[in-house]
Amino acid sequence: MSLSAKDRMLKRAAADIKAGMTVNLGIGLPTQVLKHVPENLPVCLHSENGIAGVGPVLANDQADRNLIDAGGAYVSPLPGTSYFDSALSFAIVRSGRLDLTLLGAFEVAGNGDLANWMIPGRFTPGAGGAIELAQKARRVGVVTTHTDKKGNPKILSACTLPLTAPCCVDRIYTDMAVCDVTPEGLQLSEIAEGVSLDDVIAATGARLIVPDQPLPTF
Amino acid sequence: MSLSAKDRMLKRAAADIKAGMTVNLGIGLPTQVLKHVPENLPVCLHSENGIAGVGPVLANDQADRNLIDAGGAYVSPLPGTSYFDSALSFAIVRSGRLDLTLLGAFEVAGNGDLANWMIPGRFTPGAGGAIELAQKARRVGVVTTHTDKKGNPKILSACTLPLTAPCCVDRIYTDMAVCDVTPEGLQLSEIAEGVSLDDVIAATGARLIVPDQPLPTF
Amino acid sequence: MPMPDKSCSIEEAIAQIPDGSSIMLGGFGVPGTPFCLIRELVRQGQRDLTIIKNDANETGMGVDWLLDNGQVAKLITSHIGLNSNAVAMMNAGEIDVEFAPQGILAERIRVAGAGVMGFVTDIGIGTPMAEGKQKVMIDGKEGIVETALRADFALLHADRSDPFGNLCFTATARNFNPLMGMAATRTIAEAEAILPLGGITPDDVNLPGPFVDDVVALPELMEAYGVVER
Amino acid sequence: MPMPDKSCSIEEAIAQIPDGSSIMLGGFGVPGTPFCLIRELVRQGQRDLTIIKNDANETGMGVDWLLDNGQVAKLITSHIGLNSNAVAMMNAGEIDVEFAPQGILAERIRVAGAGVMGFVTDIGIGTPMAEGKQKVMIDGKEGIVETALRADFALLHADRSDPFGNLCFTATARNFNPLMGMAATRTIAEAEAILPLGGITPDDVNLPGPFVDDVVALPELMEAYGVVER
């Protein structure tokens, strides 16, 4: 079965979820990464509203009215799940116990600046837990389409929207490429099958460091 | 049965423990106040090491090895007891949920200054929970003999030892008198049976405000 | 020595709240939201309230009843994206909304409940969140002073209580409830079940009785507590 | 998705600790003190340790084994009155002792575990405790900045654990254990019983698995865990 570009992006992001990690997946594309994580991989999913060990989403008629994830989906416990209050939940986040978070983005800059919570005058719902996830997870990945619906780059030399956190992103997974934030700048690390280097460069608003050797594909 | 001067002091202090209160009793004389509290009075005893609802002390052969009070006595649960960690225990203290604490004293001053944890060069075990109890309980009572073993006053115009907390004491219960810290100064409020006003004044190192009307006895 | 009894009718409990009060409401989405206490607050109609809650529930539920009834002057929250009514009222200037990052909101409340004046954090440094806030240096690193967030009242939803107010929460209905119960001058809890004293194992208590002032038994759970059909 | 397994032998767990480490030890008196982990630390003999514990246990127990074996350079504590050996070593300058009020010690540890830099309190103002500490004003009131207290390792005693490190404590053996388990770079827990995954109800967990790195099963409880005969 050939995967869609979106599914290949999700699968590529899923491959960076390793055994033993505690991981928080943001609402939207990041949560969809889950379906590509092997079922027997020992991983603990964290949700901001007070769960370590988030289990599968349930249909409404199977749901526990008191058990949702931070996105409002009715989820289930697993063997080894724990529940806790909101202060303890963010203690996990801020004290560095999150090995990885995958987040969505409106904009992400070549230096790792992330804007994903506010569009002044148009979208101002409040940041929820995004700021602390972005600033404090040991590793921050962004999962996003390479361009917005109008085809404009979402990866920019500098964000134009208010930042969620500065210099927080380590890696960007898109439908076209995997890019890493390095001290030297934003590096193109992998390229989606069937996408050309020129396509990626044209769709990217930040300067890309392109290695000399051939790029791995995904 | 005639009570000893000590027992009358303990009984008088116990009379200020009212229905509905959450109370912390310090080690030593304050803990002994308990035997004079009516058995059916609805009161919640707090212990710093993580108990609300401390029940009776048990003999060693009845003891639960995991259930002690802050003084190390093996205690028991009551219907409605709860256990919690040390941060939450002091959240109870600092946030004003302790209606009353009764503490011992090395020295107490007419302005309510309390010294009960350190004698430089001789007794320096650390303050434990005393500082927060003295500073933050809604009402602080001191239960102490009026004079030390050598007959020197323990109620002074100013403490000579390092303070536990300044201006924290509301009422002093001794074997000779009950004194209240007021904005005007230390007031003699009640006198022990068989003790003369002159005895009290002679045994007190702080100026006492003595009301014109006859003093109640206890 | 019996523990004090704090049982209270819902009418009496809510009648203690005057106009102009600040009120913390437990809950993250539906779970843990004290819908019955909120409904009584709507019935009694106290006005000019400052509401502190993680979110504004969804349109037509919980906080939205208070908004709809014009009882809310200010909302302190982390996210109101699921309540378009709240967003519209904010944009129209009908309510004042103060946002905090979710964990900072939780910690400001916890710190108030711990009787502490504030805390120092690097969360939000380099973003607009840090603007106008006091800074201090700790070990050569700059931090923001976040102040304790107290309230006059906390309204909580518990799974179980005893008459002394020992509360147990269940699953993700815990969320802000135990924190808020520590941070208010007066804490009112509704409980799905009130067990006799001794009916709750001492190790299982999530919020100890000394923090709780009034315990209200819920006669039945209204539809709002159920699974939300989307 | 299974939870990760953190089971570990006591020898391997303690062997991770190098000389010069800072180590938090759970316990308030006997309850909650990880005597077996401490005994293994004595056996392995790491030196120049900074020990953080509410108290110094009693003479001949727990912390005192480390003192007696010359492994402790510094003790951060709230009260050592029940260990005359600790007091004597302090007075002789053989160990450095730093005292904090008990609740301030607990809160400094909790704040570290919450990933916060410090907190602001009025506890100790007007006493020698406040001297030399940074002050800030909040709402016109002076407060002391107390800094987060972290450690390289935390050694905990739990009643029950599962292989993921979800910990339950019992009665007053809880005390500093869950706080310290959050505040250390690496958290090692001994447990009286290790239940299979799913053996602990999610609502009953006192310290969630993400904070815990190594879980050690206790074969049997030595005498130190028992009721102290006085």
Side-chain angles (χ1 to χ4, degrees):
Chain A
M1 194 189 82
S2 126
L3 292 169
S4 70
K6 176 182 159 190
D7 275 329
R8 274 183 283 127
M9 165 181 72
L10 298 176
K11 191 178 173 190
R12 179 61 194 85
D16 282 345
I17 299 178
K18 306 293 188 190
M21 281 186 168
T22 298
V23 178
N24 184 298
L25 300 176
I27 297 166
L29 286 177
T31 295
Q32 297 177 44
V33 165
L34 202 53
K35 63 185 168 196
H36 296 283
V37 177
E39 253 185 40
N40 59 354
L41 191 75
V43 164
C44 174
L45 290 184
H46 168 265
S47 190
E48 302 94 287
N49 61 327
I51 318 176
V54 182
V57 173
L58 300 178
N60 275 0
D61 60 352
Q62 307 251 303
D64 174 347
R65 65 185 163 89
N66 287 311
L67 184 50
I68 62 173
D69 67 12
Y74 290 96
V75 293
S76 52
L78 295 168
T81 293
S82 59
Y83 306 129
F84 33 80
D85 68 52
S86 296
L88 193 125
S89 191
F90 280 90
I92 290 175
V93 176
R94 285 190 307 259
S95 70
R97 263 67 175 214
L98 273 190
D99 298 295
L100 174 68
T101 189
L102 297 177
L103 299 172
F106 295 146
E107 298 175 345
V108 54
N111 68 347
D113 286 359
L114 174 66
N116 76 350
W117 70 284
M118 190 191 206
I119 304 173
R122 272 180 48 209
F123 180 77
T124 54
I131 290 175
E132 285 152 295
L133 288 170
Q135 192 174 330
K136 289 295 185 179
R138 284 179 180 273
R139 196 169 164 80
V140 176
V142 160
V143 184
T144 179
T145 54
H146 209 93
T147 58
D148 67 17
K149 285 171 187 167
K150 295 178 184 163
N152 298 315
K154 296 181 75 167
I155 303 173
L156 305 173
S157 56
C159 293
T160 67
L161 296 171
L163 294 188
T164 308
C167 302
C168 64
V169 176
D170 296 292
R171 176 165 271 196
I172 307 168
Y173 308 88
T174 79
D175 46 348
M176 300 180 77
V178 173
C179 303
D180 287 303
V181 178
T182 74
E184 290 72 39
L186 190 66
Q187 176 180 294
L188 180 60
S189 300
E190 301 178 27
I191 196 160
E193 261 181 54
V195 174
S196 75
L197 182 58
D198 287 349
D199 290 343
V200 175
I201 291 172
T204 305
R207 199 177 66 80
L208 279 177
I209 300 171
V210 181
D212 291 336
Q213 61 270 42
L215 285 164
T217 59
F218 66 93
Chain B
M1 193 191 82
S2 128
L3 293 170
S4 69
K6 177 183 159 190
D7 275 330
R8 273 183 283 128
M9 164 181 74
L10 298 175
K11 190 179 173 188
R12 179 59 194 85
D16 282 347
I17 298 178
K18 307 292 190 191
M21 282 186 168
T22 298
V23 178
N24 185 297
L25 301 177
I27 298 166
L29 287 175
T31 295
Q32 296 177 44
V33 165
L34 202 53
K35 63 185 169 195
H36 296 282
V37 177
E39 253 185 39
N40 59 353
L41 191 75
V43 165
C44 173
L45 291 184
H46 168 266
S47 190
E48 301 95 287
N49 60 325
I51 319 175
V54 181
V57 173
L58 299 177
N60 275 1
D61 59 352
Q62 307 251 302
D64 174 348
R65 64 185 164 89
N66 288 311
L67 183 51
I68 62 173
D69 67 12
Y74 289 97
V75 294
S76 52
L78 295 168
T81 294
S82 59
Y83 306 129
F84 33 80
D85 68 51
S86 296
L88 193 125
S89 192
F90 280 90
I92 290 176
V93 176
R94 285 191 307 260
S95 69
R97 263 65 176 214
L98 272 191
D99 298 295
L100 173 68
T101 190
L102 297 178
L103 299 173
F106 295 145
E107 297 176 344
V108 53
N111 67 347
D113 286 359
L114 174 66
N116 76 348
W117 70 283
M118 189 190 205
I119 305 174
R122 272 178 48 207
F123 181 76
T124 53
I131 291 175
E132 286 152 293
L133 289 169
Q135 192 175 331
K136 288 296 186 179
R138 285 179 179 272
R139 195 169 164 79
V140 175
V142 161
V143 184
T144 179
T145 54
H146 209 93
T147 58
D148 67 17
K149 283 171 188 168
K150 296 178 183 164
N152 297 315
K154 295 181 76 168
I155 303 174
L156 306 172
S157 55
C159 293
T160 66
L161 297 171
L163 294 188
T164 308
C167 302
C168 64
V169 176
D170 296 291
R171 177 166 270 196
I172 307 169
Y173 307 88
T174 78
D175 46 347
M176 300 181 78
V178 173
C179 303
D180 286 304
V181 177
T182 74
E184 290 71 38
L186 189 65
Q187 177 179 293
L188 180 61
S189 300
E190 300 178 28
I191 196 162
E193 262 181 53
V195 173
S196 75
L197 180 58
D198 286 350
D199 290 343
V200 174
I201 291 172
T204 305
R207 202 177 64 79
L208 279 177
I209 300 170
V210 181
D212 290 337
Q213 61 270 40
L215 285 164
T217 59
F218 65 94
Chain C
M1 200 173 272
M3 297 296 115
D5 189 328
K6 300 167 180 175
S7 306
C8 188
S9 76
I10 193 167
E11 296 80 7
E12 286 173 322
I14 297 299
Q16 302 173 97
I17 301 176
D19 287 353
S21 296
S22 57
I23 307 177
M24 291 176 171
L25 300 177
F28 187 117
V30 165
T33 300
F35 289 109
C36 281
L37 296 177
I38 296 172
R39 187 179 55 178
E40 179 63 19
L41 188 58
V42 170
R43 196 188 66 79
Q44 294 190 14
Q46 286 89 335
R47 305 195 80 74
D48 197 25
L49 303 175
T50 294
I51 298 294
I52 302 164
K53 187 180 187 294
N54 175 65
D55 51 83
N57 289 119
E58 302 181 32
T59 313
M61 291 181 77
V63 171
D64 200 49
W65 301 335
L66 293 166
L67 292 169
D68 206 46
N69 202 31
Q71 294 176 258
V72 181
K74 181 173 182 179
L75 186 59
I76 302 177
T77 186
S78 89
H79 193 274
I80 60 173
L82 292 178
N83 187 332
S84 56
N85 187 34
V87 173
M89 289 178 78
M90 172 179 73
N91 290 339
E94 292 166 29
I95 54 168
D96 182 16
V97 177
E98 179 184 323
F99 286 114
Q102 196 169 103
I104 296 301
L105 182 65
E107 194 66 15
R108 288 184 65 198
I109 294 167
R110 188 207 161 273
V111 150
V116 164
M117 297 164 69
F119 64 98
V120 182
T121 178
D122 60 354
I123 294 294
I125 286 202
T127 78
M129 287 279 172
E131 282 165 22
K133 290 181 181 164
Q134 187 177 177
K135 311 287 191 306
V136 295
M137 299 297 288
I138 293 184
D139 296 336
K141 234 187 119 194
E142 188 181 47
I144 299 166
V145 178
E146 293 280 358
T147 56
L149 182 60
R150 290 184 188 78
D152 300 320
F153 295 88
L155 307 187
L156 312 184
H157 176 84
D159 184 59
R160 287 160 290 147
S161 180
D162 62 21
F164 182 48
N166 286 311
L167 303 185
C168 297
F169 308 99
T170 188
T172 59
R174 191 179 320 186
N175 57 65
F176 283 74
N177 274 297
L179 312 172
M180 290 175 164
M182 295 165 64
T185 304
R186 192 156 191 100
T187 291
I188 302 168
E190 59 170 49
E192 298 190 17
I194 312 256
L195 305 177
L197 280 176
I200 298 176
T201 304
D203 279 328
D204 291 352
V205 173
N206 298 131
L207 184 67
F211 289 111
V212 178
D213 297 288
D214 301 293
V215 177
V216 172
L218 290 181
E220 58 181 321
L221 296 179
M222 65 177 89
E223 194 187 341
Y225 292 95
V227 170
V228 180
E229 305 287 340
R230 285 198 187 88
Chain D
M1 200 173 273
M3 297 298 115
D5 189 327
K6 300 167 181 175
S7 307
C8 190
S9 75
I10 192 166
E11 295 81 8
E12 286 172 322
I14 297 299
Q16 302 174 95
I17 302 177
D19 285 353
S21 295
S22 57
I23 307 178
M24 291 177 171
L25 300 176
F28 186 117
V30 166
T33 300
F35 291 108
C36 281
L37 295 178
I38 296 172
R39 188 179 54 178
E40 179 63 18
L41 189 58
V42 170
R43 196 187 68 78
Q44 295 191 13
Q46 287 87 336
R47 306 195 77 75
D48 198 24
L49 304 174
T50 294
I51 298 295
I52 301 164
K53 187 180 188 293
N54 175 63
D55 52 82
N57 289 116
E58 303 181 31
T59 313
M61 291 181 77
V63 172
D64 200 49
W65 301 335
L66 294 165
L67 292 170
D68 207 46
N69 201 32
Q71 294 176 260
V72 181
K74 182 173 181 180
L75 186 59
I76 302 176
T77 186
S78 90
H79 192 275
I80 60 173
L82 292 179
N83 187 332
S84 55
N85 187 35
V87 174
M89 289 179 78
M90 171 178 74
N91 289 339
E94 292 166 28
I95 54 168
D96 182 16
V97 178
E98 180 183 323
F99 286 114
Q102 194 167 106
I104 296 301
L105 182 65
E107 194 67 15
R108 288 184 65 198
I109 295 167
R110 189 210 160 271
V111 150
V116 164
M117 297 164 68
F119 64 99
V120 182
T121 179
D122 61 354
I123 294 294
I125 286 202
T127 78
M129 288 279 173
E131 283 165 21
K133 290 180 180 165
Q134 187 177 178
K135 312 286 192 306
V136 296
M137 300 296 289
I138 292 184
D139 296 336
K141 234 186 119 194
E142 188 181 46
I144 299 165
V145 178
E146 293 279 358
T147 57
L149 182 60
R150 291 184 187 79
D152 300 318
F153 294 88
L155 307 187
L156 312 184
H157 177 84
D159 184 59
R160 287 161 289 148
S161 179
D162 63 20
F164 182 48
N166 287 310
L167 303 186
C168 297
F169 307 100
T170 187
T172 58
R174 190 179 321 185
N175 56 67
F176 283 75
N177 275 298
L179 312 172
M180 290 175 165
M182 297 164 64
T185 303
R186 190 155 193 101
T187 291
I188 302 168
E190 59 170 48
E192 298 191 15
I194 311 257
L195 305 176
L197 281 175
I200 298 176
T201 304
D203 279 327
D204 291 351
V205 174
N206 298 130
L207 184 67
F211 290 110
V212 178
D213 298 288
D214 301 294
V215 178
V216 172
L218 290 182
E220 59 181 321
L221 296 178
M222 66 177 92
E223 194 188 340
Y225 292 95
V227 170
V228 180
E229 305 287 340
R230 285 199 186 86

PDB file of all heavy atoms in Angstrom, chain B residues 80-99:
ATOM      1  N   GLY B  80     -12.475   9.462  59.257  1.00  0.00           N
ATOM      2  CA  GLY B  80     -12.290  10.797  58.674  1.00  0.00           C
ATOM      3  C   GLY B  80     -10.854  11.268  58.658  1.00  0.00           C
ATOM      4  O   GLY B  80     -10.565  12.387  58.233  1.00  0.00           O
ATOM      5  N   THR B  81      -9.922  10.441  59.076  1.00  0.00           N
ATOM      6  CA  THR B  81      -8.493  10.784  58.998  1.00  0.00           C
ATOM      7  C   THR B  81      -8.030  10.812  57.540  1.00  0.00           C
ATOM      8  O   THR B  81      -8.553  10.066  56.703  1.00  0.00           O
ATOM      9  CB  THR B  81      -7.667   9.740  59.777  1.00  0.00           C
ATOM     10  OG1 THR B  81      -7.999   9.851  61.163  1.00  0.00           O
ATOM     11  CG2 THR B  81      -6.169   9.932  59.598  1.00  0.00           C
ATOM     12  N   SER B  82      -7.062  11.673  57.238  1.00  0.00           N
ATOM     13  CA  SER B  82      -6.403  11.640  55.925  1.00  0.00           C
ATOM     14  C   SER B  82      -4.894  11.753  56.115  1.00  0.00           C
ATOM     15  O   SER B  82      -4.424  12.315  57.092  1.00  0.00           O
ATOM     16  CB  SER B  82      -6.911  12.772  55.027  1.00  0.00           C
ATOM     17  OG  SER B  82      -6.673  14.028  55.620  1.00  0.00           O
ATOM     18  N   TYR B  83      -4.161  11.183  55.148  1.00  0.00           N
ATOM     19  CA  TYR B  83      -2.699  11.262  55.118  1.00  0.00           C
ATOM     20  C   TYR B  83      -2.267  12.020  53.864  1.00  0.00           C
ATOM     21  O   TYR B  83      -2.943  11.952  52.831  1.00  0.00           O
ATOM     22  CB  TYR B  83      -2.071   9.860  55.077  1.00  0.00           C
ATOM     23  CG  TYR B  83      -2.523   8.946  56.191  1.00  0.00           C
ATOM     24  CD1 TYR B  83      -2.999   7.663  55.916  1.00  0.00           C
ATOM     25  CD2 TYR B  83      -2.461   9.346  57.523  1.00  0.00           C
ATOM     26  CE1 TYR B  83      -3.402   6.810  56.933  1.00  0.00           C
ATOM     27  CE2 TYR B  83      -2.869   8.501  58.546  1.00  0.00           C
ATOM     28  CZ  TYR B  83      -3.336   7.235  58.251  1.00  0.00           C
ATOM     29  OH  TYR B  83      -3.733   6.403  59.254  1.00  0.00           O
ATOM     30  N   PHE B  84      -1.142  12.726  53.950  1.00  0.00           N
ATOM     31  CA  PHE B  84      -0.677  13.509  52.801  1.00  0.00           C
ATOM     32  C   PHE B  84       0.818  13.762  52.927  1.00  0.00           C
ATOM     33  O   PHE B  84       1.425  13.439  53.959  1.00  0.00           O
ATOM     34  CB  PHE B  84      -1.444  14.830  52.703  1.00  0.00           C
ATOM     35  CG  PHE B  84      -1.853  15.396  54.034  1.00  0.00           C
ATOM     36  CD1 PHE B  84      -0.936  16.083  54.806  1.00  0.00           C
ATOM     37  CD2 PHE B  84      -3.135  15.199  54.543  1.00  0.00           C
ATOM     38  CE1 PHE B  84      -1.290  16.586  56.053  1.00  0.00           C
ATOM     39  CE2 PHE B  84      -3.502  15.693  55.806  1.00  0.00           C
ATOM     40  CZ  PHE B  84      -2.577  16.399  56.551  1.00  0.00           C
ATOM     41  N   ASP B  85       1.403  14.344  51.869  1.00  0.00           N
ATOM     42  CA  ASP B  85       2.850  14.564  51.878  1.00  0.00           C
ATOM     43  C   ASP B  85       3.200  15.826  52.670  1.00  0.00           C
ATOM     44  O   ASP B  85       2.326  16.596  53.073  1.00  0.00           O
ATOM     45  CB  ASP B  85       3.395  14.601  50.445  1.00  0.00           C
ATOM     46  CG  ASP B  85       2.935  15.817  49.660  1.00  0.00           C
ATOM     47  OD1 ASP B  85       3.069  16.956  50.155  1.00  0.00           O
ATOM     48  OD2 ASP B  85       2.432  15.640  48.536  1.00  0.00           O
ATOM     49  N   SER B  86       4.498  16.040  52.865  1.00  0.00           N
ATOM     50  CA  SER B  86       4.975  17.123  53.722  1.00  0.00           C
ATOM     51  C   SER B  86       4.711  18.502  53.126  1.00  0.00           C
ATOM     52  O   SER B  86       4.531  19.467  53.870  1.00  0.00           O
ATOM     53  CB  SER B  86       6.479  16.953  53.980  1.00  0.00           C
ATOM     54  OG  SER B  86       6.709  15.748  54.694  1.00  0.00           O
ATOM     55  N   ALA B  87       4.690  18.624  51.806  1.00  0.00           N
ATOM     56  CA  ALA B  87       4.400  19.928  51.196  1.00  0.00           C
ATOM     57  C   ALA B  87       2.945  20.286  51.443  1.00  0.00           C
ATOM     58  O   ALA B  87       2.611  21.419  51.796  1.00  0.00           O
ATOM     59  CB  ALA B  87       4.709  19.901  49.695  1.00  0.00           C
ATOM     60  N   LEU B  88       2.054  19.337  51.273  1.00  0.00           N
ATOM     61  CA  LEU B  88       0.643  19.608  51.525  1.00  0.00           C
ATOM     62  C   LEU B  88       0.402  19.864  53.010  1.00  0.00           C
ATOM     63  O   LEU B  88      -0.415  20.699  53.389  1.00  0.00           O
ATOM     64  CB  LEU B  88      -0.235  18.467  51.022  1.00  0.00           C
ATOM     65  CG  LEU B  88      -1.692  18.911  50.990  1.00  0.00           C
ATOM     66  CD1 LEU B  88      -2.299  18.715  49.625  1.00  0.00           C
ATOM     67  CD2 LEU B  88      -2.517  18.217  52.038  1.00  0.00           C
ATOM     68  N   SER B  89       1.141  19.167  53.852  1.00  0.00           N
ATOM     69  CA  SER B  89       0.960  19.356  55.292  1.00  0.00           C
ATOM     70  C   SER B  89       1.254  20.799  55.688  1.00  0.00           C
ATOM     71  O   SER B  89       0.521  21.398  56.476  1.00  0.00           O
ATOM     72  CB  SER B  89       1.884  18.405  56.056  1.00  0.00           C
ATOM     73  OG  SER B  89       1.544  18.373  57.419  1.00  0.00           O
ATOM     74  N   PHE B  90       2.303  21.359  55.124  1.00  0.00           N
ATOM     75  CA  PHE B  90       2.638  22.750  55.444  1.00  0.00           C
ATOM     76  C   PHE B  90       1.815  23.735  54.625  1.00  0.00           C
ATOM     77  O   PHE B  90       1.726  24.906  54.988  1.00  0.00           O
ATOM     78  CB  PHE B  90       4.141  22.977  55.339  1.00  0.00           C
ATOM     79  CG  PHE B  90       4.839  22.471  56.571  1.00  0.00           C
ATOM     80  CD1 PHE B  90       5.285  21.162  56.634  1.00  0.00           C
ATOM     81  CD2 PHE B  90       4.959  23.265  57.690  1.00  0.00           C
ATOM     82  CE1 PHE B  90       5.877  20.668  57.787  1.00  0.00           C
ATOM     83  CE2 PHE B  90       5.553  22.781  58.851  1.00  0.00           C
ATOM     84  CZ  PHE B  90       6.009  21.476  58.892  1.00  0.00           C
ATOM     85  N   ALA B  91       1.199  23.281  53.547  1.00  0.00           N
ATOM     86  CA  ALA B  91       0.196  24.115  52.876  1.00  0.00           C
ATOM     87  C   ALA B  91      -0.971  24.367  53.834  1.00  0.00           C
ATOM     88  O   ALA B  91      -1.508  25.474  53.904  1.00  0.00           O
ATOM     89  CB  ALA B  91      -0.282  23.446  51.588  1.00  0.00           C
ATOM     90  N   ILE B  92      -1.346  23.347  54.580  1.00  0.00           N
ATOM     91  CA  ILE B  92      -2.403  23.519  55.590  1.00  0.00           C
ATOM     92  C   ILE B  92      -1.988  24.581  56.602  1.00  0.00           C
ATOM     93  O   ILE B  92      -2.765  25.467  56.958  1.00  0.00           O
ATOM     94  CB  ILE B  92      -2.704  22.168  56.280  1.00  0.00           C
ATOM     95  CG1 ILE B  92      -3.405  21.213  55.306  1.00  0.00           C
ATOM     96  CG2 ILE B  92      -3.551  22.374  57.546  1.00  0.00           C
ATOM     97  CD1 ILE B  92      -3.669  19.819  55.869  1.00  0.00           C
ATOM     98  N   VAL B  93      -0.737  24.501  57.040  1.00  0.00           N
ATOM     99  CA  VAL B  93      -0.244  25.441  58.060  1.00  0.00           C
ATOM    100  C   VAL B  93      -0.174  26.862  57.492  1.00  0.00           C
ATOM    101  O   VAL B  93      -0.734  27.797  58.053  1.00  0.00           O
ATOM    102  CB  VAL B  93       1.153  25.013  58.560  1.00  0.00           C
ATOM    103  CG1 VAL B  93       1.708  26.036  59.551  1.00  0.00           C
ATOM    104  CG2 VAL B  93       1.104  23.618  59.189  1.00  0.00           C
ATOM    105  N   ARG B  94       0.507  27.016  56.355  1.00  0.00           N
ATOM    106  CA  ARG B  94       0.791  28.369  55.867  1.00  0.00           C
ATOM    107  C   ARG B  94      -0.422  29.071  55.278  1.00  0.00           C
ATOM    108  O   ARG B  94      -0.489  30.285  55.222  1.00  0.00           O
ATOM    109  CB  ARG B  94       1.916  28.324  54.810  1.00  0.00           C
ATOM    110  CG  ARG B  94       3.305  28.112  55.392  1.00  0.00           C
ATOM    111  CD  ARG B  94       4.355  28.346  54.304  1.00  0.00           C
ATOM    112  NE  ARG B  94       4.045  27.522  53.155  1.00  0.00           N
ATOM    113  CZ  ARG B  94       4.627  26.365  52.869  1.00  0.00           C
ATOM    114  NH1 ARG B  94       5.593  25.907  53.621  1.00  0.00           N
ATOM    115  NH2 ARG B  94       4.257  25.671  51.808  1.00  0.00           N
ATOM    116  N   SER B  95      -1.398  28.286  54.779  1.00  0.00           N
ATOM    117  CA  SER B  95      -2.550  28.920  54.134  1.00  0.00           C
ATOM    118  C   SER B  95      -3.643  29.272  55.139  1.00  0.00           C
ATOM    119  O   SER B  95      -4.725  29.680  54.747  1.00  0.00           O
ATOM    120  CB  SER B  95      -3.118  27.995  53.055  1.00  0.00           C
ATOM    121  OG  SER B  95      -3.725  26.858  53.638  1.00  0.00           O
ATOM    122  N   GLY B  96      -3.359  29.108  56.420  1.00  0.00           N
ATOM    123  CA  GLY B  96      -4.313  29.574  57.424  1.00  0.00           C
ATOM    124  C   GLY B  96      -5.397  28.591  57.772  1.00  0.00           C
ATOM    125  O   GLY B  96      -6.433  28.971  58.306  1.00  0.00           O
ATOM    126  N   ARG B  97      -5.190  27.304  57.458  1.00  0.00           N
ATOM    127  CA  ARG B  97      -6.208  26.295  57.814  1.00  0.00           C
ATOM    128  C   ARG B  97      -6.047  25.783  59.235  1.00  0.00           C
ATOM    129  O   ARG B  97      -6.891  25.019  59.693  1.00  0.00           O
ATOM    130  CB  ARG B  97      -6.152  25.115  56.846  1.00  0.00           C
ATOM    131  CG  ARG B  97      -7.173  25.213  55.732  1.00  0.00           C
ATOM    132  CD  ARG B  97      -6.920  26.382  54.814  1.00  0.00           C
ATOM    133  NE  ARG B  97      -7.842  26.414  53.690  1.00  0.00           N
ATOM    134  CZ  ARG B  97      -7.512  26.840  52.493  1.00  0.00           C
ATOM    135  NH1 ARG B  97      -6.289  27.295  52.273  1.00  0.00           N
ATOM    136  NH2 ARG B  97      -8.410  26.844  51.520  1.00  0.00           N
ATOM    137  N   LEU B  98      -4.962  26.151  59.911  1.00  0.00           N
ATOM    138  CA  LEU B  98      -4.831  25.780  61.321  1.00  0.00           C
ATOM    139  C   LEU B  98      -5.499  26.861  62.141  1.00  0.00           C
ATOM    140  O   LEU B  98      -5.031  28.004  62.188  1.00  0.00           O
ATOM    141  CB  LEU B  98      -3.361  25.711  61.718  1.00  0.00           C
ATOM    142  CG  LEU B  98      -2.613  24.413  61.538  1.00  0.00           C
ATOM    143  CD1 LEU B  98      -1.265  24.521  62.242  1.00  0.00           C
ATOM    144  CD2 LEU B  98      -3.387  23.215  62.030  1.00  0.00           C
ATOM    145  N   ASP B  99      -6.593  26.509  62.803  1.00  0.00           N
ATOM    146  CA  ASP B  99      -7.286  27.499  63.617  1.00  0.00           C
ATOM    147  C   ASP B  99      -6.492  27.838  64.861  1.00  0.00           C
ATOM    148  O   ASP B  99      -6.588  28.942  65.385  1.00  0.00           O
ATOM    149  CB  ASP B  99      -8.666  26.949  63.995  1.00  0.00           C
ATOM    150  CG  ASP B  99      -9.520  26.706  62.771  1.00  0.00           C
ATOM    151  OD1 ASP B  99      -9.854  27.692  62.104  1.00  0.00           O
ATOM    152  OD2 ASP B  99      -9.810  25.531  62.464  1.00  0.00           O
TER     153      ASP B  99
END
